Amino acid sequence: MKKVMQVFITVFLAAFALVGVTSYLNSSNGYSGADTLTVYNWGDYIDPDLIDKFQRETGIKVVYETFDSNEAMLTKIARGGTAFDIVIPSDYAINKMKAEGMLIRLDHSKIPNLKHIDPRFLDLSFDEGNKYSIPYFWGTMGIIYNPELTQGKEFSSWEALWDTDLRSEILLVDSAREVIGVGLNSLGYSLNDTDTDHLQEAYRKLCELTPNVKAIVGDEIKMLLANEEAAVGVVWSGDAAIIMDENDKLDYVIPSEGSMVWLDNIVIPRTARNIEGAHLFINFILDPENSAQNTEYVGYATPNAAALEYLPEEITGDERFYPGPDVTDNLEVLANLGKRMLGYYNELFLEFKMHRKRA
Ligand code: SPD
């Protein structure tokens, strides 16, 4: 009997120690496994009430972190440290992550709400068959301007930004591909140009824009433009929609030389610990009513066709923010240009920022 008791106590203590070690390992970065979901998303990009609802419905605790550019997100993921279960990158960044083996192949049988996504946003070149990514929000990039502060000037061309009357009146979104893209598009080049002579030319052209650039900013660009602290901004369409909701004097145009159509998607990184919970989260976000609620809160355009029915016509009928294929077919999706070329774009953008500081 004594021997049986000894064996029982030994097994019990060993099991206790094992549970302790496992839970320490799982929580050593602050997060645990199946009962927690770590989400890494852009700032201002989800309705917090939906996170509460997901937690209530599933019992899974959501740990939430934000980033402000694809480049910052890619650097953090590559550095390791936090095991994110859900990340929301854009098109070219997804292609890069996929190519570098950073993503888990999705189980579509666990995402029945995928059927609600408009086929126009599925099966795109950066992830054919949506094997790794599910559409979240989409939009374009263009110019937002305040007609009262710009004396009736036209902004249908990128070239309008170089008008000498706009001294210190322009805010630029703080994102390398976007800003270098303005330089490229204004010269008639593609947003995916890899010719270094063209890129240098775009850089020099941007340097000439410096006197007109008041600041290069992140999410605060919305508040600054709505409060009329600058007359013009180069922004994503979703931010333009939010700003114009606050201040209806402003208007948004996609310049005639061209621009980008972008798509942010939900992915599960290879380092994820709660793959089951991540699929539950994706399916939850794709539920039409949840998706409509998220769209109203965030202000960006939803690719969820079924969600459109829950949204007011004044939102979904506004072609500046829900342009049809006649417009988007003439815009470019950013391509993954490879490590070296993406690094070159980032360097040029940093050079441009330094040039501004020196000027
Ligand atoms: N505040 C959320 C911003 C999300 C913008 N994503 C657009 C990426 C275009 N490359």
Side-chain angles (χ1 to χ4, degrees), residues 274-300:
N274 190 354
I275 296 171
E276 195 61 33
H279 281 89
L280 279 177
F281 183 81
I282 296 174
N283 200 50
F284 171 87
I285 288 293
L286 262 51
D287 168 83
E289 286 186 62
N290 291 342
S291 179
Q293 179 180 332
N294 206 23
T295 304
E296 279 217 74
Y297 180 91
V298 170
Y300 275 63

Short mmCIF file of all heavy atoms in Angstrom, two decimals, residues 274-300:
data_model
loop_
_atom_site.label_atom_id
_atom_site.label_comp_id
_atom_site.label_asym_id
_atom_site.label_seq_id
_atom_site.Cartn_x
_atom_site.Cartn_y
_atom_site.Cartn_z
N ASN A 274 -2.49 29.33 -31.57
CA ASN A 274 -3.91 28.98 -31.48
C ASN A 274 -4.54 29.00 -32.87
O ASN A 274 -5.29 29.92 -33.22
CB ASN A 274 -4.62 29.95 -30.52
CG ASN A 274 -6.02 29.49 -30.20
OD1 ASN A 274 -6.50 28.51 -30.75
ND2 ASN A 274 -6.68 30.20 -29.30
N ILE A 275 -4.21 27.97 -33.65
CA ILE A 275 -4.65 27.93 -35.05
C ILE A 275 -6.17 27.73 -35.13
O ILE A 275 -6.85 28.33 -35.97
CB ILE A 275 -3.89 26.81 -35.79
CG1 ILE A 275 -2.41 27.19 -35.82
CG2 ILE A 275 -4.43 26.60 -37.20
CD1 ILE A 275 -1.49 26.12 -36.32
N GLU A 276 -6.70 26.93 -34.20
CA GLU A 276 -8.15 26.69 -34.15
C GLU A 276 -8.87 28.02 -33.86
O GLU A 276 -9.81 28.41 -34.55
CB GLU A 276 -8.41 25.68 -33.02
CG GLU A 276 -9.76 25.02 -33.04
CD GLU A 276 -10.03 24.23 -34.31
OE1 GLU A 276 -9.10 23.65 -34.89
OE2 GLU A 276 -11.21 24.24 -34.73
N GLY A 277 -8.38 28.73 -32.83
CA GLY A 277 -8.97 30.02 -32.45
C GLY A 277 -8.85 31.05 -33.57
O GLY A 277 -9.74 31.87 -33.78
N ALA A 278 -7.74 30.98 -34.31
CA ALA A 278 -7.52 31.94 -35.40
C ALA A 278 -8.56 31.73 -36.50
O ALA A 278 -9.12 32.69 -37.04
CB ALA A 278 -6.10 31.78 -35.95
N HIS A 279 -8.86 30.46 -36.81
CA HIS A 279 -9.90 30.19 -37.81
C HIS A 279 -11.27 30.67 -37.31
O HIS A 279 -12.06 31.24 -38.07
CB HIS A 279 -9.96 28.69 -38.14
CG HIS A 279 -8.89 28.24 -39.10
ND1 HIS A 279 -7.65 27.83 -38.69
CD2 HIS A 279 -8.87 28.19 -40.45
CE1 HIS A 279 -6.92 27.51 -39.75
NE2 HIS A 279 -7.63 27.73 -40.84
N LEU A 280 -11.53 30.45 -36.00
CA LEU A 280 -12.80 30.93 -35.42
C LEU A 280 -12.91 32.44 -35.57
O LEU A 280 -13.97 32.98 -35.90
CB LEU A 280 -12.86 30.60 -33.92
CG LEU A 280 -13.26 29.19 -33.49
CD1 LEU A 280 -13.17 29.07 -31.98
CD2 LEU A 280 -14.69 28.90 -33.96
N PHE A 281 -11.79 33.14 -35.32
CA PHE A 281 -11.78 34.60 -35.40
C PHE A 281 -12.05 35.07 -36.83
O PHE A 281 -12.85 35.98 -37.06
CB PHE A 281 -10.42 35.12 -34.91
CG PHE A 281 -10.33 36.62 -34.88
CD1 PHE A 281 -10.86 37.34 -33.81
CD2 PHE A 281 -9.71 37.33 -35.90
CE1 PHE A 281 -10.78 38.73 -33.78
CE2 PHE A 281 -9.63 38.71 -35.88
CZ PHE A 281 -10.16 39.41 -34.80
N ILE A 282 -11.39 34.43 -37.80
CA ILE A 282 -11.58 34.83 -39.20
C ILE A 282 -13.05 34.66 -39.59
O ILE A 282 -13.68 35.55 -40.17
CB ILE A 282 -10.67 34.01 -40.15
CG1 ILE A 282 -9.20 34.29 -39.85
CG2 ILE A 282 -10.99 34.31 -41.62
CD1 ILE A 282 -8.21 33.43 -40.63
N ASN A 283 -13.62 33.50 -39.20
CA ASN A 283 -15.02 33.25 -39.56
C ASN A 283 -15.96 34.24 -38.87
O ASN A 283 -16.94 34.70 -39.47
CB ASN A 283 -15.39 31.80 -39.21
CG ASN A 283 -16.60 31.36 -39.98
OD1 ASN A 283 -16.67 31.52 -41.20
ND2 ASN A 283 -17.61 30.86 -39.28
N PHE A 284 -15.63 34.60 -37.64
CA PHE A 284 -16.43 35.56 -36.87
C PHE A 284 -16.41 36.93 -37.56
O PHE A 284 -17.45 37.58 -37.72
CB PHE A 284 -15.82 35.65 -35.46
CG PHE A 284 -16.39 36.73 -34.59
CD1 PHE A 284 -17.54 36.52 -33.83
CD2 PHE A 284 -15.77 37.98 -34.52
CE1 PHE A 284 -18.06 37.52 -33.03
CE2 PHE A 284 -16.28 38.99 -33.72
CZ PHE A 284 -17.43 38.76 -32.97
N ILE A 285 -15.23 37.36 -37.99
CA ILE A 285 -15.10 38.68 -38.64
C ILE A 285 -15.85 38.69 -39.98
O ILE A 285 -16.38 39.72 -40.40
CB ILE A 285 -13.59 39.01 -38.85
CG1 ILE A 285 -12.93 39.35 -37.50
CG2 ILE A 285 -13.37 40.13 -39.85
CD1 ILE A 285 -13.42 40.63 -36.85
N LEU A 286 -15.91 37.54 -40.64
CA LEU A 286 -16.57 37.47 -41.95
C LEU A 286 -18.09 37.34 -41.86
O LEU A 286 -18.78 37.41 -42.88
CB LEU A 286 -16.01 36.28 -42.75
CG LEU A 286 -14.93 36.62 -43.78
CD1 LEU A 286 -13.81 37.44 -43.19
CD2 LEU A 286 -14.39 35.37 -44.44
N ASP A 287 -18.62 37.12 -40.66
CA ASP A 287 -20.07 37.07 -40.50
C ASP A 287 -20.63 38.42 -41.00
O ASP A 287 -20.13 39.48 -40.62
CB ASP A 287 -20.40 36.88 -39.01
CG ASP A 287 -21.87 37.12 -38.74
OD1 ASP A 287 -22.64 36.18 -38.94
OD2 ASP A 287 -22.24 38.27 -38.39
N PRO A 288 -21.65 38.41 -41.88
CA PRO A 288 -22.09 39.67 -42.50
C PRO A 288 -22.44 40.77 -41.51
O PRO A 288 -22.07 41.93 -41.73
CB PRO A 288 -23.31 39.24 -43.33
CG PRO A 288 -23.06 37.80 -43.63
CD PRO A 288 -22.34 37.23 -42.45
N GLU A 289 -23.14 40.43 -40.42
CA GLU A 289 -23.52 41.49 -39.47
C GLU A 289 -22.30 42.02 -38.72
O GLU A 289 -22.16 43.23 -38.50
CB GLU A 289 -24.58 40.99 -38.49
CG GLU A 289 -25.93 40.89 -39.16
CD GLU A 289 -27.05 40.53 -38.20
OE1 GLU A 289 -27.31 41.32 -37.27
OE2 GLU A 289 -27.65 39.47 -38.39
N ASN A 290 -21.39 41.10 -38.34
CA ASN A 290 -20.17 41.56 -37.67
C ASN A 290 -19.34 42.42 -38.62
O ASN A 290 -18.78 43.46 -38.23
CB ASN A 290 -19.32 40.37 -37.22
CG ASN A 290 -19.96 39.61 -36.09
OD1 ASN A 290 -20.86 40.14 -35.41
ND2 ASN A 290 -19.54 38.38 -35.87
N SER A 291 -19.27 41.97 -39.86
CA SER A 291 -18.47 42.69 -40.85
C SER A 291 -19.04 44.09 -41.11
O SER A 291 -18.29 45.07 -41.23
CB SER A 291 -18.45 41.85 -42.13
OG SER A 291 -17.72 42.50 -43.09
N ALA A 292 -20.39 44.18 -41.15
CA ALA A 292 -21.03 45.49 -41.36
C ALA A 292 -20.75 46.40 -40.16
O ALA A 292 -20.42 47.60 -40.32
CB ALA A 292 -22.53 45.32 -41.56
N GLN A 293 -20.84 45.83 -38.96
CA GLN A 293 -20.56 46.62 -37.74
C GLN A 293 -19.11 47.14 -37.77
O GLN A 293 -18.84 48.31 -37.48
CB GLN A 293 -20.78 45.74 -36.50
CG GLN A 293 -20.49 46.46 -35.19
CD GLN A 293 -20.71 45.58 -33.97
OE1 GLN A 293 -21.52 44.64 -33.99
NE2 GLN A 293 -19.99 45.86 -32.90
N ASN A 294 -18.20 46.25 -38.17
CA ASN A 294 -16.78 46.63 -38.24
C ASN A 294 -16.57 47.73 -39.28
O ASN A 294 -15.83 48.69 -39.06
CB ASN A 294 -15.96 45.39 -38.60
CG ASN A 294 -14.53 45.48 -38.11
OD1 ASN A 294 -14.24 46.23 -37.16
ND2 ASN A 294 -13.64 44.75 -38.74
N THR A 295 -17.26 47.60 -40.40
CA THR A 295 -17.12 48.58 -41.50
C THR A 295 -17.62 49.95 -41.07
O THR A 295 -16.98 50.98 -41.34
CB THR A 295 -17.91 48.09 -42.74
OG1 THR A 295 -17.44 46.79 -43.08
CG2 THR A 295 -17.73 49.03 -43.91
N GLU A 296 -18.76 49.97 -40.36
CA GLU A 296 -19.30 51.27 -39.91
C GLU A 296 -18.34 51.92 -38.93
O GLU A 296 -18.12 53.12 -38.95
CB GLU A 296 -20.66 51.07 -39.24
CG GLU A 296 -21.76 50.95 -40.27
CD GLU A 296 -23.05 51.62 -39.83
OE1 GLU A 296 -23.10 52.86 -39.84
OE2 GLU A 296 -23.99 50.88 -39.48
N TYR A 297 -17.73 51.09 -38.07
CA TYR A 297 -16.83 51.64 -37.06
C TYR A 297 -15.51 52.11 -37.69
O TYR A 297 -15.06 53.22 -37.45
CB TYR A 297 -16.54 50.58 -35.98
CG TYR A 297 -15.62 51.11 -34.90
CD1 TYR A 297 -16.14 51.71 -33.76
CD2 TYR A 297 -14.23 51.02 -35.04
CE1 TYR A 297 -15.30 52.22 -32.78
CE2 TYR A 297 -13.39 51.54 -34.07
CZ TYR A 297 -13.92 52.14 -32.95
OH TYR A 297 -13.09 52.64 -31.99
N VAL A 298 -14.92 51.24 -38.53
CA VAL A 298 -13.57 51.53 -39.07
C VAL A 298 -13.64 52.60 -40.17
O VAL A 298 -12.75 53.45 -40.27
CB VAL A 298 -12.92 50.21 -39.58
CG1 VAL A 298 -11.65 50.51 -40.37
CG2 VAL A 298 -12.60 49.29 -38.42
N GLY A 299 -14.67 52.54 -41.01
CA GLY A 299 -14.83 53.56 -42.05
C GLY A 299 -14.21 53.20 -43.39
O GLY A 299 -14.34 53.95 -44.35
N TYR A 300 -13.51 52.05 -43.47
CA TYR A 300 -12.94 51.61 -44.74
C TYR A 300 -13.96 50.77 -45.51
O TYR A 300 -15.00 50.39 -44.97
CB TYR A 300 -11.67 50.78 -44.48
CG TYR A 300 -10.42 51.61 -44.30
CD1 TYR A 300 -10.29 52.52 -43.25
CD2 TYR A 300 -9.35 51.50 -45.18
CE1 TYR A 300 -9.14 53.27 -43.09
CE2 TYR A 300 -8.18 52.25 -45.03
CZ TYR A 300 -8.09 53.14 -43.98
OH TYR A 300 -6.95 53.88 -43.83
#
